[in-house]
Amino acid sequence: MSAVPDTPGRRVTTLELFFDLVFVFTLTQLTVLLAADLSFATAARVALIFTVLFWMYGAYAYLTNQVPPDRPSRRLLLMLGMGGFLVCALAIPRVFDDGGVVFGLGFLLVVVVHTALYTRSHGRDSIWYGVPNAMAALSVTAAGTVGSLAADGLWVLALALQFVTPFVAERGPGHADGRTPDAVRAQLGSLDPAHFVERHGLLLIVAFGESVIAIGIGVGDAPLTPGLFGGAFLALALAVALWWTYFVRDEELAERTFRATPPPARFRLAMNAYYYAFLPMLLGIAYLAAGVKKTLGHLTEHLHTGPASALAGGVALFLAGDVAFRVALGLRPVRFRLTAALIAVAAVLLGVGVSAVAELLALVAVLVAMLAVEARRGLRPRSVQDLARS
């Protein structure tokens, strides 16, 4: 099957960007939750909550790609979905205490609105997405009524239900009405590449805003000394270098590769690149922001393991996600970014053993060196197709 012709595609609407701003508030709240208790247990729970939430964000990004919010009824439903995400965000700080049921009900509203809108493009096929998503939402709601260990189990069950949904979506409709698997995949893959790539890029930009806000929170009421400004600029340099990593080298070719992929393979590519790979990138920004909040007021001190791990782990997780993103899209090279991710992890030792500013300097140096090596060697990302022709 031939690829879809190279057409400009439509742009992301302001309502979709507004939706993304509300969704990123959930990331802000997760950063608050993590900063309150920088432990590995809390970091794991933050990852679990965001993975469940990001599944439904991805579902809405796919939905508005297929069903543009260009009519009053669609806009109103999308706004209702925004309200559901807002409920989830407000409940996040107490999601494993007395806010669990509220979070679950907000999430159920997100799912119900999504399924209702999905009927506009996929008709009866929406049941294959709506049922497992609703079961995941009910599982999360039930988690708010039980103890800690059982609640964790129900969250994991919700995650498992979400992870099997793409396989159900690819196979269920064909069994129900006699369509071939390729025909179902072609329908699922009938995405507008320009809109889909731009939508996720804008989400990443909004998420980077969280790292900038974290600088202001980290500074707080501390005296405005040259040292404090130096630490703030280092934190900003980290965010800028991560921005450069994706937007200067990856986004444009990612769209070209996405566009060149035939529709039957495009849905799976979208899942691998813009869900599974984007997850660690966004989580990395959240962990980095939490680390910055806890670090800027203690630049010359030895850091505790939590803040040091959040800083280095956030950078390493973002780079690991970017490596996964490149691998999913067949972009090369990846070795320098993988090496930089491993070195970034080691920077924890500097934060714990030397000082916060030493760790920040090391992380900035690693990212700048990685980008400089790629630029000097002329290593602009190439797709697998480009490599095959060379």
Side-chain angles (χ1 to χ4, degrees):
M1 182 177 295
S2 60
V4 175
D6 190 9
T7 54
R10 67 181 183 86
R11 307 285 301 192
V12 174
T13 65
T14 53
L15 180 56
E16 290 170 283
L17 184 56
F18 194 6
F19 183 97
D20 293 354
L21 288 168
V22 174
F23 172 75
V24 169
F25 181 47
T26 66
L27 195 63
T28 301
Q29 291 288 80
L30 286 170
T31 302
V32 171
L33 181 63
L34 182 60
D37 177 24
L38 272 173
S39 65
F40 290 109
T42 303
R45 282 185 162 181
V46 164
L48 187 60
I49 296 169
F50 186 68
T51 301
V52 169
L53 283 171
F54 188 55
W55 168 257
M56 285 312 301
Y57 170 83
Y60 271 90
Y62 179 91
L63 168 70
T64 55
N65 188 279
Q66 303 283 291
V67 184
D70 53 4
R71 304 172 193 173
S73 60
R74 295 179 181 180
R75 292 181 186 129
L76 289 171
L77 280 172
L78 194 60
M79 291 174 186
L80 188 59
M82 290 164 59
F85 270 121
L86 181 62
V87 171
C88 291
L90 292 173
I92 279 175
R94 294 180 292 177
V95 70
F96 287 100
D97 296 314
D98 60 343
V101 173
V102 173
F103 179 97
L105 292 175
F107 193 67
L108 184 60
L109 175 61
V110 168
V111 171
V112 170
V113 171
H114 177 266
T115 305
L117 277 168
Y118 235 116
T119 60
R120 308 296 178 89
S121 62
H122 286 71
R124 293 181 305 170
D125 288 353
S126 300
I127 191 172
W128 299 102
Y129 321 105
V131 170
N133 285 336
M135 291 172 63
L138 291 172
S139 181
V140 168
T141 306
T145 66
V146 297
S148 178
L149 188 59
D152 288 342
L154 286 168
W155 273 88
V156 172
L157 174 60
L159 194 61
L161 287 166
Q162 290 178 338
F163 278 8
V164 302
T165 300
F167 300 98
V168 174
E170 287 180 338
R171 292 162 177 78
H175 289 301
D177 56 22
R179 279 179 289 168
T180 66
D182 274 351
V184 174
R185 294 189 191 101
Q187 182 189 21
L188 291 171
S190 58
L191 294 163
D192 183 325
H195 175 273
F196 199 73
V197 173
E198 182 188 18
R199 179 76 186 274
H200 286 83
L202 289 173
L203 174 66
L204 205 57
I205 283 288
V206 176
F208 275 127
E210 169 62 22
S211 64
V212 177
I213 293 171
I215 295 173
I217 295 174
V219 169
D221 296 326
L224 299 179
T225 63
L228 185 65
F229 279 110
F233 280 124
L234 284 174
L236 181 61
L238 273 180
V240 169
L242 293 176
W243 169 87
W244 195 295
T245 298
Y246 176 80
F247 286 99
V248 172
R249 295 187 174 273
D250 287 2
E251 189 179 41
E252 181 181 351
L253 190 55
E255 181 182 335
R256 286 169 47 196
T257 303
F258 202 73
R259 190 182 299 280
T261 303
R266 194 177 285 170
F267 175 69
R268 180 55 54 184
L269 181 63
M271 285 293 303
N272 291 337
Y274 289 99
Y275 178 69
Y276 296 119
F278 247 62
L279 258 174
M281 294 168 72
L282 289 164
L283 271 174
I285 295 172
Y287 290 158
L288 176 62
V292 166
K293 286 179 182 179
K294 290 294 189 179
T295 297
L296 289 183
H298 310 278
L299 287 169
T300 59
E301 302 172 16
H302 297 275
L303 291 177
H304 293 295
T305 303
S309 298
L311 282 177
V315 172
L317 198 56
F318 183 95
L319 291 175
D322 187 58
V323 167
F325 179 81
R326 285 187 159 205
V327 170
L329 288 163
L331 306 183
R332 299 294 185 269
V334 297
R335 63 187 184 277
F336 297 105
R337 298 181 182 213
L338 184 58
T339 301
L342 296 174
I343 296 174
V345 173
V348 173
L349 300 176
L350 286 173
V352 173
V354 183
S355 67
V357 72
E359 182 177 0
L360 286 169
L361 277 168
L363 290 171
V364 171
V366 167
L367 292 174
V368 170
M370 177 195 78
L371 294 170
V373 168
E374 289 185 349
R376 183 167 183 175
R377 298 195 179 194
L379 295 176
R380 292 196 60 79
R382 295 189 296 167
S383 67
V384 169
Q385 294 94 328
D386 294 333
L387 290 171
R389 287 194 294 267
S390 62

